[in-house]
Amino acid sequence: MTLLHNQVKMPTSILCFIMVIILAILCTTNASSSPLTVGFYKSTCPSVENIVKKVVNRAIAQNPGLGAGLIRMHFHDCFVRGCDASVLLDSTPGNPAEKENLANNPSLRGYEVIDQAKAEIEATCPQTVSCADIIAYAARDSASKLGGLNYAVQGGRRDGRISLKDDPTQNLPAPFFNLQQVQDSFTRKGLSVEEMVTLSGAHSIGASHCSSFTRRLYNFNNSNNTQDPSLDPKFASKLKVMCPNLNNSPNFDPTIVQDFVTPNKLDNKYYQNVQNGKALFTSDQSLMTSPSTVGMVRNFGRNGGVWAKKFSRAMVHMGSIEVLTGVQGEIRTNCRVVN
């Protein structure tokens, strides 16, 4: 008698149950691995990108700084738990969220713009568009409004349900990082050195709290009254007027623009500032400490068109970091709270 004849027949009901489980697993796997696509909402919410653009343009017209805030928000979202809108979640009792981290509070701006866009989208296409996608669209529209950069944004992200206060500290590059530390932060997210240099160009707009860079003015390398020698002396003197020693005034932390020449224009002026010792952060100036990154800085400083194209591509790539898709996560009806 053959082995086949010796096998015990499995009841039909059990076979059916197993097949259902297998199919469910396959469907889940396929759905969760669905790629992001341009025009994701073409049939389900065709007006979504126009709605976001209208809200963003209106906000920037009133306050150009919000455009820089929305680009920064996309970066802070994607580097922490992937592009899942975790940065938008409010804290709950006993569970402080990413918003409370020093990297976001009080400097991150634009929450109200996302809220407004979400409200208008929900009125048109309820429970359809993720908050994570709205952030990505808003960042692109900000780059378009402030720098004339236009690129197609993929959709299909889903919203996460977790936001932890300490996560940004473990994932976001700090303004006092050296080149290797910044590079490691980007490498962990699957971004190249060139993309790191390219995306740093977003520092051509927006503002910074003095506390993010005053150690370069007063306490460089933990040495009192020592100034970072890579800072242009005249620029440093100007900064000291606006940013007095915070050790003497701990509750005084004003903000200043990152680019004094074209503060509200997303352009390649940042790279000229870096070359001239007029960048605010140690992490920015560190780009001049390696021959490979120095070459990129000089190239982008000479050719704004090259930088703009690479910036657009890098933003799209960054927008795909560790995304939730398919049946993963959820579509929040209110971006500040889980459903």
Side-chain angles (χ1 to χ4, degrees), residues 212-229:
S212 295
F213 59 86
T214 46
R215 68 171 63 185
R216 299 184 70 199
L217 300 175
Y218 304 105
N219 192 31
F220 186 64
N221 285 341
N222 296 317
S223 178
N224 288 333
N225 300 317
T226 302
Q227 183 175 296
D228 185 347

Side-chain angles (χ1 to χ4, degrees), residues 92-281:
T92 56
N95 296 291
E98 292 171 32
K99 283 181 177 180
E100 306 307 320
N101 189 281
L102 186 61
N104 296 323
N105 184 19
S107 60
L108 197 61
R109 296 184 291 172
Y111 296 117
E112 70 278 14
V113 181
I114 303 298
D115 288 339
Q116 182 61 43
K118 180 62 171 175
E120 295 190 22
I121 291 167
E122 284 295 309
T124 304
C125 318
Q127 300 179 335
T128 302
V129 180
S130 70
C131 300
D133 279 344
I134 294 174
I135 294 176
Y137 293 139
R140 184 268 312 276
D141 294 334
S142 297
S144 175
K145 182 70 172 177
L146 296 177
L149 280 65
N150 296 291
Y151 55 93
V153 172
Q154 299 168 319
R157 301 166 191 80
R158 303 267 291 182
D159 298 325
R161 300 186 179 95
I162 300 173
S163 183
L164 303 176
K165 179 181 177 180
D166 292 338
D167 278 352
T169 304
Q170 309 303 321
N171 291 277
L172 291 173
F176 54 81
F177 272 9
N178 61 35
L179 181 61
Q180 188 61 56
Q181 290 172 311
V182 178
Q183 183 176 326
D184 289 345
S185 296
F186 277 74
T187 299
R188 284 194 295 269
K189 301 303 175 182
L191 297 173
S192 68
V193 174
E194 184 181 67
E195 287 172 320
M196 174 194 74
V197 178
T198 302
L199 291 171
S200 295
H203 286 169
S204 74
I205 53 175
S208 168
H209 282 272
C210 291
S211 58
S212 295
F213 59 86
T214 46
R215 68 171 63 185
R216 299 184 70 199
L217 300 175
Y218 304 105
N219 192 31
F220 186 64
N221 285 341
N222 296 317
S223 178
N224 288 333
N225 300 317
T226 302
Q227 183 175 296
D228 185 347
S230 66
L231 269 171
D232 174 79
K234 291 184 179 179
F235 182 62
S237 297
K238 184 177 182 179
L239 293 179
K240 286 180 177 179
V241 172
M242 295 179 284
C243 297
N245 195 332
L246 296 181
N247 290 330
N248 302 325
S249 307
N251 296 320
F252 182 65
D253 192 11
T255 59
I256 66 170
V257 295
Q258 298 202 73
D259 176 6
F260 287 87
V261 180
T262 55
N264 294 321
K265 185 177 180 181
L266 181 61
D267 57 18
N268 68 329
K269 184 64 179 176
Y270 162 83
Y271 299 99
Q272 299 167 28
N273 291 339
V274 170
Q275 292 177 76
N276 294 328
K278 296 181 179 180
L280 295 183
F281 304 144

Side-chain angles (χ1 to χ4, degrees), residues 80-91:
V80 181
R81 295 186 174 273
C83 312
D84 69 343
S86 58
V87 72
L88 298 179
L89 288 172
D90 286 340
S91 298

Side-chain angles (χ1 to χ4, degrees), residues 26-43:
L26 289 174
C27 288
T28 300
T29 301
N30 290 337
S32 63
S33 62
S34 301
L36 302 179
T37 57
V38 174
F40 183 82
Y41 299 102
K42 182 169 57 176
S43 60

